[in-house]
């Protein structure tokens, strides 16, 4: 840390010119900029605050003088700061604390920063480098900051390795390095869920503040309404209840719409739930609010409008007032808010008939709960959500596989990887709970594939063919995947240089090629490039048992006559099709879309079906596959042509 005299520390509320034009290192609060009307979110997430600030710094000419400073410190609060040193940005944050505005305007900013550095030296605070992104990338949000992504991509093995560690040893190391959202029994590291939960928490805090306002006197305060969506078994009610319990201001009730046959029954239940005692605010869950009434889909919606808008409901011919309440509508038919809305003209007309637009317009907050399945092609955080759920299940239902003394779960690694990587659990968290709950546990201390329910039962809860192919591959190769990937990468590096020399490329150009990120030594290679090499053999290997040419993968059998030592003809072509499918899936998972090549916007022109690619591109894919038998041979494996006895 530089001497105190090196910093320019403004008085809170100083004009922008004073903030930007000092000769020393600027040290100020992010709230300085918010007060000066710059669009920077607050108390949502560290990541969103950073991206909002960087966008303002890069795009807003009024901050030009500040942008020219290569060193600065911007305090977010007592637990975090955004730091620029020699033009490089670093975020300092406290994992267990959200971005709360808890720093007094008159605070000694240098002393706060000094304390942050001391806490970092003690390991109580983390630092994460902010990846460099152009203005184009910041404006398009093509590469938003996610600390969980940054952490996983610094670990050897990426998301899968982090998820394995969570299940086997616990989430403590993860929780020490990424932002964690905690409300009583709720814990999540998923960025979208963190932001959603914080938004709901803020909404409820503001409502409680208004409810307590002395100026309100005895006048009623209109209810606020929140809708919660998620796949079955995702715990839609759980998170909101934990937030409410953490604030200790709400009396929680649940009304399940599937149990009522008429609006009269609903309003009688609502009347019983609106209890005003001990200065607690009624918080009422309407479960299955989008269920049928008298055969009409979402037929209940119209009956919520008056309580939501006017704070009134009718019971026994009387109009009754609501003195204040939080309504939480938990959906049962739509996995997300966008899925709740109509997606064509016919559905839009039906939505209008049941007063859907009127209902939506009265909502003050939306919460989407993700569950253990990917919600988008870019959602790799689902593996972490699965791992946290599995860890809790092994510490609860399957406790005989968990050692309280060591904190470890005793599970077959191939089985664990298959559970973490399977394409989907058909009924969300409930499917995982069923699989673990119905597994054989009596008298066993290790969870292995032999503990699983029958395949017919598994297929109710997951794609059993996909699961078994992943399990089979992990049993066959397991940790050898990394060795294959290392060899494939080193061969790729060598081949690129040999080709460059062969075609007479200049020495300067060869040096440029050698300096590319993808040409780094394996130990220095970034995790996305490593994962690309791993995913190639996983993707192909898992499909060999489905492959109609009858190719298999096995440890080398000396002298075997069915070994495939070369790839050519139809076999090579079908492998090339699979490899292109794999490449596109990886690209899309990293946020790439079809378009003119642009690394900042993550656009690539080859995100097309294989048969629509230029022949030169297809030939490149074929060439990249021809060496697979050689790579496999170096780690003791081979491809072979399967034969079947007739």
């Amino acid at each position: 840390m530089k001497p105190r005299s090196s910093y320019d520390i403004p008085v809170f509320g100083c004009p922008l010119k004073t903030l930007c034009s000092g000769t020393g290192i600027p040290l100020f609060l992010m709230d300085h900029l918010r007060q000066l009307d710059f669009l920077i979110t607050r108390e949502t997430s560290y990541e969103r605050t950073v991206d909002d600030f960087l966008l303002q710094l890069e795009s807003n000419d009024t901050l030009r003088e500040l942008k020219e400073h290569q060193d600065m410190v911007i305090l977010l609060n007592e637990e975090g700061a955004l730091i620029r040193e020699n033009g490089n940005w670093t975020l300092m944050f406290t994992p267990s604390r959200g971005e709360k505005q808890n720093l007094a305007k008159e605070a000694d900013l240098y002393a706060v920063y000094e304390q942050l550095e001391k806490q970092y030296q003690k390991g109580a605070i983390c630092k994460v480098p902010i990846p460099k992104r152009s203005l184009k990338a910041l404006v398009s949000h093509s590469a938003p900051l996610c600390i969980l992504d940054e952490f996983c991509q610094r670990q050897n093995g990426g998301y899968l390795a982090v998820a394995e560690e969570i299940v086997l040893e616990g989430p403590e190391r993860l929780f020490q390095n990424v932002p964690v959202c905690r409300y009583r029994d709720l814990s999540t590291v998923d960025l979208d869920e963190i932001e959603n939960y914080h938004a709901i928490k803020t909404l409820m805090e503001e409502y409680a503040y208004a409810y307590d306002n002395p100026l309100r006197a005895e006048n009623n305060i209109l209810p606020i309404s929140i809708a919660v969506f998620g796949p079955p078994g995702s715990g839609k009610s759980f998170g909101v209840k934990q937030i409410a319990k953490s604030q200790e201001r709400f009396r929680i009730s649940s009304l399940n719409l599937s149990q009522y046959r008429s609006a009269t029954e609903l309003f009688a239940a609502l009347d019983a739930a609106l209890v005003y005692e001990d200065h607690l605010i009624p918080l009422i869950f309407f479960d299955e609010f989008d269920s049928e009434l008298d055969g009409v889909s979402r037929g209940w919606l119209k009956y919520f409008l008056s309580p939501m808008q006017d704070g009134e409901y009718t019971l026994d011919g009387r109009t009754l007032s609501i003195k204040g309440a939080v309504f939480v509508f938990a959906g049962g038919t739509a996995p997300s808010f966008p899925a709740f809305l109509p997606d064509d003209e016919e559905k839009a007309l039906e939505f209008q008939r049941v007063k859907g637009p009127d209902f939506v317009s009265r909502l003050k907050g939306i919460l989407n709960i993700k569950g253990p399945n990917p919600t988008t092609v870019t959602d790799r955080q689902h593996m972490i959500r699965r791992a946290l759920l599995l860890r809790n299940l092994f510490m609860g239902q399957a406790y005989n596989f968990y050692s309280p003394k060591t904190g470890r779960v005793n599970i077959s690694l191939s089985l664990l990887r298959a559970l973490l990587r399977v394409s989907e659990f058909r009924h969300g968290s409930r499917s995982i709970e069923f699989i673990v709950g119905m597994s054989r546990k009596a008298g066993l201390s290790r969870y292995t594939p032999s503990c699983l329910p029958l395949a017919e039962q598994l297929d109710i809860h997951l794609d059993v063919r996909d699961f078994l192919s992943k399990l089979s591959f992990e049993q066959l190769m397991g940790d050898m995947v990394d060795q294959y990937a290392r060899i494939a990468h080193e061969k790729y590096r060598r081949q690129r240089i040999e080709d460059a020399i062969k075609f007479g490329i200049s020495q300067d150009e060869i040096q440029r090629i050698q300096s590319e990120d993808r040409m780094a030594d394996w130990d220095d290679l970034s995790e996305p490039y490593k994962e690309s090499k791993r995913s190639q053999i996983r993707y192909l290997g898992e499909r060999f048992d489905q492959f109609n040419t009858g190719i298999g993968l096995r440890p080398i059998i000396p002298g075997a006559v069915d070994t495939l030592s070369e790839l050519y003809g139809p076999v090579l072509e079908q492998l090339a099709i699979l490899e292109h499918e794999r490449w596109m899936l990886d690209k899309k998972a990293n946020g790439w879309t079809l378009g003119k090549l642009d690394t900042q916007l993550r656009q690539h022109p080859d995100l097309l079906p294989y048969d629509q690619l230029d022949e030169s591109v297809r030939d490149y894919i074929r060439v990249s596959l021809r060496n697979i038998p050689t790579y496999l041979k170096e780690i003791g494996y081979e491809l072979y042509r399967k034969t079947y006895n007739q």
Side-chain angles (χ1 to χ4, degrees), residues 53-60 67 84 133 135 138:
F53 167 74
L54 292 179
L55 178 58
Q56 292 292 325
L57 189 67
E58 291 294 327
S59 63
N60 199 320
K67 180 181 176 181
R84 192 180 199 188
R133 292 160 294 167
L135 174 59
L138 289 168

Side-chain angles (χ1 to χ4, degrees), residues 562-581:
D562 56 353
T563 299
L564 283 170
S565 56
E566 294 183 4
L567 297 174
Y568 55 87
V571 170
L572 178 60
E573 193 66 9
Q574 292 187 55
L575 284 177
I577 293 171
L578 287 175
E579 166 59 10
H580 183 61
E581 287 177 1

Side-chain angles (χ1 to χ4, degrees), residues 78-95:
E78 290 181 344
E79 291 95 24
L82 185 59
I83 303 166
R84 192 180 199 188
E85 295 181 281
N86 299 319
N88 298 313
W89 290 100
T90 301
L91 174 65
M92 180 184 289
F93 69 98
T94 306

